[in-house]
Amino acid sequence: MKPNKFVVTQFKNSNGTTAWRVDGRLHGVRIRKNFKTREEAAAEKASLEIKALQTSAGMRQIATTLTEEQAREAEALFQRMTGKTHSLSFYVDFAIEHYREPEHQKTLAAAIAEYVAAKEHEFDQQYISLPQLNRITWDLRRLEKQFPKKSVAEITVPELVVFLGSRKPCMKTFNNQRGTLGTFFKFCFHRGWVTENPILKVPHYRIRQRRGAAKTFSTAQAQELMEHFETFEGGRWIPYFALCLFAGIRPGVPDGEITKIKPEDVSLKTGIIHVSAEASKVREPRKIVIQPNLAAWLRAYPLDKFPIVVGDFQKRRAKFKDRFHLTHDVLRHTFISMFVGKFRSIGEAAIQAGNSESIIRKHYLDLKSTEEAEAFFSIMPKHVALPLAATQSSGAGQSANNSVEASESNCLQAA
């Protein structure tokens, strides 16, 4: 539609005075107004043209107490209401009733710094492990990098959903990172920096875990592994693999239980391995019964002569980990699976492995047959070193065999 045009013309009144007339049409109505000066006529012409433009754009002129800025905001809000089922007043009333300003505005960087400091204190008090602290710090530094200039109260649920899925993690990783952020925002909520924990509105994946899905070795694979390392680097790897595979000690290096086990914690005399609360991942002490075949391995490769963890562990392990499929915790998973298969006791497996029974049931129940488990705990070293005292007599071989049999008998009774 063409905009209405108004013109200003000069004419003389009957009394001889000069006047200025504004002439045009608005809403189909003829408009003619006379003014004494040209300036007044020009101002009226401009006003009428603005009204004509507003009419063509669906705008109208009304009397209001709102400022121009407030009127523009109101227009923007009504545009956002398109398709909504309630009025603008309904949503405003809801916000006024439920929204609460944070007591103290806190930048995300400052909030993260305080939270990490609190977690470092928990680590000093031995409530959390170093891997836990590192994971928390890493996840939150990534969050800070994503929102460098925001306050913690400004971060929204949609932004957190996008952030958690930005690297396309698997569902378990997504849930783990969501848990880290959940405890962080709970910390902020308790200090009045946010009015609610936004993570509560972030979806949580429900993962259906198949029973017996943990990665384990077969007896044949375990046999091949141990035979290889008897002749590899002088057998110095044997204590590590024997303790993790036949006793289920958590194998992680540099922060796993195996790095905190000392030779004096392993007693062949009593047939017990003592895992202290300081060494345990779950901060609870436990005793592991030394099985007969593990006793034989530790005699052949005694801990006073062979290291439990070799030097430059990660670099040297990388050379053979793919060959033997040494995935995370596969040694420990194998031990628990075989233990349940042999002794048919989930409770005892949980006690010795430092797990809960629910985890044992979920991952290891009926995973191995009794026959395979018996064969697993019968894997013996090819070389059995003679005790120092036994080598001083001509019957050294027989003494060694008697010693092994006696120790195996003690271990079976303890089991």
Side-chain angles (χ1 to χ4, degrees):
M1 184 173 70
K2 293 183 178 180
N4 294 294
K5 293 185 178 180
F6 295 88
V7 296
V8 177
T9 58
Q10 182 182 16
F11 70 95
K12 287 186 177 182
N13 292 317
S14 57
N15 60 5
T17 60
T18 301
W20 299 87
R21 175 174 291 173
V22 178
D23 193 358
R25 289 184 177 274
L26 181 63
H27 306 312
V29 179
R30 179 75 179 269
I31 302 292
R32 285 195 304 178
K33 292 184 178 182
N34 298 332
F35 297 90
K36 293 181 179 180
T37 65
R38 184 170 185 171
E39 288 75 15
E40 291 176 328
E44 180 64 15
K45 175 179 179 290
S47 176
L48 290 171
E49 288 178 344
I50 289 174
K51 288 181 180 180
L53 289 172
Q54 289 175 337
T55 301
S56 63
M59 301 173 68
R60 59 185 57 86
Q61 187 175 13
I62 60 173
T64 178
T65 59
L66 297 178
T67 64
E68 183 176 350
E69 183 179 352
Q70 290 171 337
R72 294 288 179 265
E73 184 177 4
E75 290 176 346
L77 290 174
F78 273 106
Q79 289 177 358
R80 292 171 61 184
M81 292 296 297
T82 303
K84 301 296 183 181
T85 57
H86 298 285
S87 67
L88 177 59
S89 297
F90 171 85
Y91 294 105
V92 172
D93 290 340
F94 183 88
I96 291 174
E97 181 180 355
H98 294 90
Y99 180 74
R100 298 291 181 273
E101 288 284 352
E103 295 177 14
H104 309 285
Q105 290 292 339
K106 194 78 169 181
T107 65
L108 178 61
I112 288 175
E114 287 196 29
Y115 181 73
V116 170
K119 289 300 174 182
E120 289 174 345
H121 179 68
E122 290 183 19
F123 171 71
D124 293 338
Q125 299 296 314
Q126 299 184 346
Y127 289 120
I128 63 173
S129 64
L130 183 59
Q132 285 178 287
L133 177 61
N134 290 339
R135 172 54 59 182
I136 290 169
T137 303
W138 187 85
D139 285 343
L140 292 180
R141 295 306 180 202
R142 193 164 70 89
L143 180 69
E144 180 183 347
K145 186 177 180 180
Q146 182 72 17
F147 306 105
K149 298 182 179 180
K150 283 198 171 187
S151 72
V152 68
E154 291 176 322
I155 300 175
T156 64
V157 173
E159 288 175 332
L160 290 174
V161 172
V162 172
F163 168 75
L164 289 170
S166 61
R167 299 194 175 188
K168 299 180 179 180
C170 67
M171 289 187 291
K172 183 177 180 181
T173 299
F174 182 97
N175 287 346
N176 290 342
Q177 293 177 348
R178 178 186 179 276
T180 299
L181 297 187
T183 55
F184 166 68
F185 280 106
K186 184 178 180 180
F187 176 88
C188 296
F189 174 76
H190 288 161
R191 282 152 181 78
W193 303 336
V194 295
T195 57
E196 64 175 353
N197 187 342
I199 287 295
L200 298 178
K201 296 181 181 179
V202 175
H204 178 276
Y205 288 110
R206 183 177 180 182
I207 304 173
R208 185 175 181 179
Q209 186 77 28
R210 291 187 300 110
R211 178 176 290 177
K215 175 68 176 177
T216 63
F217 285 154
S218 66
T219 297
Q221 289 174 313
Q223 177 81 49
E224 179 186 2
L225 176 80
M226 298 305 292
E227 287 181 355
H228 171 80
F229 283 101
E230 275 204 272
T231 58
F232 181 74
E233 294 186 359
R236 68 181 62 191
W237 288 82
I238 288 294
Y240 171 84
F241 283 109
L243 289 169
C244 296
L245 186 60
F246 299 124
I249 296 174
R250 291 180 171 89
V253 176
D255 301 311
E257 293 176 346
I258 192 65
T259 63
K260 302 165 188 174
I261 296 294
K262 301 179 177 60
E264 54 267 28
D265 296 329
V266 182
S267 175
L268 292 177
K269 183 176 181 180
T270 61
I272 295 294
I273 299 174
H274 294 268
V275 180
S276 65
E278 291 74 20
S280 171
K281 176 183 176 181
V282 295
R283 296 294 185 266
E284 295 179 357
R286 71 179 188 275
K287 295 180 180 180
I288 305 172
V289 175
I290 299 176
Q291 299 301 318
N293 70 323
L294 176 57
W297 284 101
L298 294 178
R299 286 192 194 87
Y301 302 89
L303 300 185
D304 59 348
K305 295 182 180 179
F306 293 84
I308 295 178
V309 178
V310 301
D312 201 11
F313 180 91
Q314 298 290 3
K315 183 177 180 180
R316 295 166 73 177
R317 178 180 179 273
K319 296 179 180 179
F320 55 74
K321 71 180 182 66
D322 291 337
R323 172 182 173 182
F324 293 102
H325 307 289
L326 292 171
T327 57
H328 177 68
D329 263 0
V330 65
L331 302 174
R332 174 178 164 78
H333 288 170
T334 301
F335 165 78
I336 299 175
S337 300
M338 295 295 186
F339 191 98
V340 173
K342 178 177 180 179
F343 297 103
R344 320 305 296 176
S345 174
I346 298 173
E348 185 62 26
I351 291 172
Q352 296 205 34
N355 269 348
S356 65
E357 289 191 34
S358 63
I359 294 296
I360 299 294
R361 287 182 181 277
K362 182 181 293 185
H363 293 287
Y364 312 112
L365 187 59
D366 293 333
L367 190 60
K368 302 294 183 181
S369 67
T370 302
E371 292 76 17
E372 183 176 12
E374 289 284 358
F376 172 81
F377 284 109
S378 298
I379 297 175
M380 294 286 185
K382 298 297 183 181
H383 166 70
V384 178
L386 299 177
L388 182 60
T391 59
Q392 298 176 355
S393 65
S394 58
Q398 185 62 39
S399 298
N401 290 335
N402 291 342
S403 177
V404 171
E405 291 174 1
S407 177
E408 291 178 356
S409 177
N410 291 338
C411 292
L412 286 171
Q413 292 175 4

